[in-house]
Amino acid sequence: FAILFCRRFYDIMSAEGFMTRTIEDLQYKGLKIIQEDGLFHFGTDAVLLAGFCDVKKTDTVVDLGTGTGIIPLLLSKRTGARVIGIELQKEVFELARQNVELNGLEGKVNIINADLRTLEFKEERVTAVVCNPPYEKVGSGRQNIGESIKLARHEICCTLEDAVSCAARLLGTGGKLFMIHRSQRAAELISVMSAHKLEPKVLTPICAREGADPRYVLVAAKKDAKPGLKFNYPLVIYDKNGEYTRQMDKIYHREKENE
């Protein structure tokens, strides 16, 4: 997926020399996000997942593999919910914390440097979990990429099973899990969710264009729920002119601009 925002570039000095950072204006409620060369940059899939999450102000949400914090920023501003982002990579975790501070959300968003495979909250009542996991199995996909990006894209430190298992540990009965994944792994995703008593309740296919095969799926599951899966109409990214559809404009909160 491609994603376009207003950007401002600047360079910072590190031990390895100069590297480029961008401050991107998300064009939603004043939100901005810092991204850095060599670290994984979020894409439209993260924005779609944030828009798919059915959470309320009273929820405590955990974002597994938060990266630079895009989903916690969007969810916090849209819903007012308390959001906890979990990030394994120390450098990415530090950048996510800076993004929280940049947007003045320190009291509403908390970023934790932790491994989701061993993660537990003994004094937190988590009511929703969101996860945009690595899509590629080890050895598949592009290999000539930096280590940080490889960890974000490949199941090296976090498999699909790891992510769903963690969500199951954190959620009590009635808790909600929201995930996005490649369409070719949809059956695997549903199977793993069901095995951990997270019953898939809603599935939305994502298509690049109308009539095209789905490339991704959004799935919402509920802990200890009865079986019953609802299939939504596909979410279509581009219209016949290559512009974002009205569905996408709504997700990007740009309806008024097009009226």
Side-chain angles (χ1 to χ4, degrees):
F1 289 124
I3 189 164
L4 295 175
F5 292 114
C6 295
R7 298 180 175 181
R8 179 162 63 87
F9 294 84
Y10 65 101
D11 294 325
I12 60 171
M13 187 68 176
S14 70
E16 292 77 25
F18 283 102
M19 63 181 68
T20 298
R21 280 188 170 186
T22 62
I23 296 180
E24 305 195 4
D25 183 350
L26 299 181
Q27 301 181 39
Y28 177 60
K29 294 190 175 182
L31 286 174
K32 295 178 175 59
I33 190 166
I34 305 166
Q35 301 205 91
E36 186 175 303
D37 280 357
L39 303 182
F40 185 74
H41 287 205
F42 74 91
T44 300
D45 51 354
V47 181
L48 294 178
L49 180 57
F52 179 69
C53 291
D54 179 20
V55 298
K56 300 177 177 62
K57 187 175 182 178
T58 53
D59 281 312
T60 295
V61 185
V62 173
D63 178 28
L64 301 176
T66 196
T68 54
I70 179 64
I71 290 177
L73 297 181
L74 291 172
L75 281 182
S76 177
K77 278 291 187 178
R78 179 171 66 84
T79 69
R82 179 165 177 258
V83 189
I84 303 168
I86 306 300
E87 177 53 47
L88 175 64
Q89 298 187 60
K90 182 70 173 178
E91 191 175 5
V92 182
F93 153 75
E94 292 291 354
L95 194 53
R97 286 210 315 174
Q98 292 175 39
N99 281 321
V100 172
E101 294 172 2
L102 176 66
N103 291 283
L105 292 173
E106 296 94 324
K108 298 179 179 180
V109 176
N110 185 27
I111 307 296
I112 298 174
N113 184 209
D115 188 333
L116 63 81
R117 292 171 294 186
T118 57
L119 181 68
E120 290 191 32
F121 289 120
K122 295 182 179 179
E123 299 180 2
E124 289 278 2
R125 183 178 178 271
V126 177
T127 55
V129 173
V130 56
C131 184
N132 182 4
Y135 296 147
E136 304 285 355
K137 291 181 179 289
V138 175
S140 64
R142 287 183 57 194
Q143 300 298 309
N144 58 335
I145 52 179
E147 188 62 25
S148 177
I149 296 175
K150 186 177 289 187
L151 288 175
R153 288 182 177 174
H154 295 77
E155 293 185 327
I156 298 170
C157 295
C158 171
T159 64
L160 178 55
E161 174 79 26
D162 292 332
V164 175
S165 175
C166 178
R169 290 198 309 274
L170 298 179
L171 293 170
T173 296
K176 298 167 286 187
L177 170 62
F178 305 93
M179 294 187 72
I180 187 168
H181 219 300
R182 295 266 177 81
S183 57
Q184 60 262 40
R185 297 187 67 181
E188 180 186 359
L189 174 59
I190 290 172
S191 176
V192 173
M193 284 179 166
S194 297
H196 287 278
K197 298 183 178 180
L198 287 158
E199 189 62 36
K201 303 300 291 181
V202 179
L203 186 150
T204 301
I206 303 171
C207 305
R209 288 174 175 78
E210 189 172 356
D213 290 336
R215 295 178 59 192
Y216 296 83
V217 291
L218 291 158
V219 180
K222 195 170 187 179
K223 182 73 176 290
D224 298 324
K226 294 180 180 179
L229 177 60
K230 173 188 175 183
F231 284 81
N232 285 336
Y233 285 106
L235 193 164
V236 180
I237 306 295
Y238 301 107
D239 63 20
K240 61 182 180 181
N241 298 316
E243 302 291 335
Y244 274 152
T245 61
R246 289 186 178 181
Q247 291 172 294
M248 290 297 292
D249 282 337
K250 183 176 180 181
I251 290 168
Y252 279 97
H253 308 280
R254 291 194 289 225
E255 304 97 316
K256 292 183 179 180
E257 294 180 15
N258 293 333
E259 292 178 355

